Amino acid sequence: QTVVTQEPSFSVSPGGTVTLTCGLSSGSVSTSYYPSWYQQTPGQAPRTVIYHTNTRSSGVPDRFSGSILGHKAALTITGAQTDDESDYYCVLYMGSGIVLFGGGTKLTVL
Amino acid sequence: QVQLQESGPGLVKPSQTLSLTCTVSGGSIRNADYYWSWIRQPPGKGLEWIGYIYYSGNIFHNPSLKSRITISVDTSKNHFSLKLNSVTAADTAVYYCARVLTLGDWYFDLWGRGTLVTVPS
């Protein structure tokens, strides 16, 4: 059974740059998986940050960017702010109508 | 501006059926560009995709839940629904509905606020 992998936690200093990744337990992530990224703060619904690998959702600051790095999808925050402290989830479309969430990364900004 | 709102009982007894509805306002559920999805999140845990449906009734389910779930759409009421039978405490979660864009892509582009459903142990 394929699992979508994410770092459980990450820490970045304010103003710093952090890259979160989204991989597969077997195989490589490519654009054909349509990777997307969601930000969630405690008690709130998720918010779409990145879709189609690297397209920012409306209203998302340009310090957020998406890409494919090696064999994983990646979410990079350049110039992190305290407001970015959240859980981040990636989603991959596996084909045949099947979708998988990653386990999420808890990002701390301090 | 399209909005999604989940509704349903907040407490369901073990072995019974969880029933939720997501009402779409500000737009039509018959919009050909979108599917409509259910996602859940147990307390303190990650997100889990449940399934999604097109206005015509075409459905995709999470294989791990498929035997227990029914997803339906009512275009006359502009809403879609989830039924999960034989619930246990493990089904306690915040249940979200979301809109899915699949035209040359696949992602959740709009989310409801979520509703907590508790199944006591």
Side-chain angles (χ1 to χ4, degrees):
Chain A
Q1 184 176 350
T2 302
V3 174
V4 176
T5 61
Q6 294 185 248
E7 299 86 359
S9 63
F10 231 119
S11 183
V12 63
S13 300
T17 296
V18 62
T19 296
L20 312 182
T21 68
C22 174
L24 287 169
S25 55
S26 60
S28 298
V29 177
S30 66
T31 57
S32 61
Y33 286 87
Y34 302 119
S36 54
W37 293 88
Y38 305 85
Q39 177 191 49
Q40 187 182 36
T41 52
Q44 300 296 314
R47 166 201 184 195
T48 308
V49 178
I50 296 285
Y51 61 94
H52 205 67
T53 304
N54 56 13
T55 304
R56 276 187 303 277
S57 188
S58 176
V60 174
D62 60 7
R63 63 179 180 273
F64 289 86
S65 62
S67 63
I68 299 291
L69 285 181
H71 55 278
K72 296 183 179 182
L75 173 69
T76 300
I77 306 173
T78 304
Q81 299 186 4
T82 54
D83 284 352
D84 300 334
E85 185 162 294
S86 302
D87 295 327
Y88 291 86
Y89 294 91
C90 69
V91 168
L92 299 179
Y93 178 70
M94 305 304 291
S96 302
I98 301 300
V99 175
L100 288 179
F101 276 92
T105 297
K106 182 177 182 63
L107 179 67
T108 301
V109 181
L110 55 75
Chain B
Q1 180 181 357
V2 178
Q3 293 184 321
L4 307 179
Q5 178 66 59
E6 305 88 351
S7 59
L11 185 67
V12 180
K13 294 180 180 178
S15 80
Q16 294 192 343
T17 297
L18 177 160
S19 295
L20 295 174
T21 295
C22 180
T23 299
V24 180
S25 60
S28 174
I29 203 169
R30 296 175 64 91
N31 188 316
D33 291 341
Y34 300 107
Y35 275 79
W36 306 91
S37 184
W38 290 99
I39 301 105
R40 70 179 182 178
Q41 185 173 36
K45 296 188 178 181
L47 297 163
E48 179 182 32
W49 166 63
I50 297 172
Y52 56 102
I53 189 167
Y54 198 55
Y55 76 89
S56 63
N58 193 29
I59 302 173
F60 296 97
H61 300 98
N62 185 326
S64 68
L65 296 170
K66 186 175 182 177
S67 64
R68 295 200 293 135
I69 61 175
T70 301
I71 299 176
S72 59
V73 62
D74 188 333
T75 56
S76 67
K77 295 181 179 178
N78 221 39
H79 72 208
F80 61 107
S81 300
L82 169 69
K83 292 187 186 299
L84 177 65
N85 60 36
S86 305
V87 298
T88 69
D91 296 308
T92 293
V94 175
Y95 285 76
Y96 296 100
C97 59
R99 189 174 71 177
V100 181
L101 193 140
T102 64
L103 209 60
D105 207 334
W106 205 108
Y107 67 101
F108 303 104
D109 79 322
L110 182 67
W111 295 74
R113 301 177 76 168
T115 187
L116 174 63
V117 179
T118 301
V119 182
S121 55

